[in-house]
Amino acid sequence: MAVQPHHTIQLNHTIVHARDNRESAEFFAELLDLDIAGEWGPFIAVALSNDVTLDFATIPADRITPQHYAFLVAEAEFDSAYAKIQARGLEHWADPQRKLPGEINHNDGGKGVYFLDPAGHYLELITVPYGGRPAE
């Protein structure tokens, strides 16, 4: 029996733990040319193009559990972000195992890279979804 998708269910926001919410929010926003969407309470929100916000919250460093966040970006956005990664001297890898340092991958016919944010979260940028581009 096929499961019918719920077309009205969307991710609205998620809280991203940070040692310093401003540092992490600005790092992410500047890297991807995004805007700080607002600040309320302990949160600094960065808006993505699909109306989802990443709400950065400062918590004690010993309570941060590193997470993985993967972002599908256009080729031009990837190239811009990757140039910033290189200019900042950020460690980055072509693979999640960190065996190919200083490189990008070309999985599924696109580009991809892994790197860490200031709180130690593992960020990934890809230009093609896993499994390749949808058939047209």
Side-chain angles (χ1 to χ4, degrees):
M1 178 173 157
V3 175
Q4 295 300 315
H6 297 277
H7 295 287
T8 61
I9 299 172
Q10 299 178 7
L11 180 65
N12 177 265
H13 69 278
T14 192
I15 296 171
V16 180
H17 291 169
R19 290 188 307 258
D20 177 320
N21 61 352
R22 180 156 312 280
E23 175 189 32
S24 288
E26 288 177 355
F27 169 88
F28 186 76
E30 290 170 6
L31 186 73
L32 292 175
D33 294 322
L34 298 170
D35 294 322
I36 301 290
E39 299 181 35
W40 49 92
F43 306 110
I44 298 177
V46 176
L48 304 179
S49 62
N50 59 347
D51 296 324
V52 173
T53 62
L54 301 179
D55 298 352
F56 292 87
T58 299
I59 70 165
D62 63 342
R63 292 188 44 216
I64 296 173
T65 300
Q67 300 293 313
H68 174 72
Y69 298 96
F71 300 93
L72 182 62
V73 300
E75 291 270 341
E77 293 165 333
F78 182 95
D79 293 342
S80 174
Y82 188 61
K84 292 174 187 175
I85 288 168
Q86 291 178 304
R88 294 176 182 181
L90 296 178
E91 280 191 281
H92 60 281
W93 304 268
D95 62 314
Q97 298 81 20
R98 302 182 195 184
K99 293 183 180 181
L100 299 169
E103 299 180 35
I104 66 170
N105 66 60
H106 295 280
N107 298 342
D108 296 305
K111 297 177 186 174
V113 67
Y114 298 84
F115 57 100
L116 300 175
D117 83 344
H121 296 298
Y122 208 40
L123 304 183
E124 177 183 9
L125 303 178
I126 56 174
T127 61
V128 175
Y130 285 112
R133 292 182 170 92
E136 296 182 24

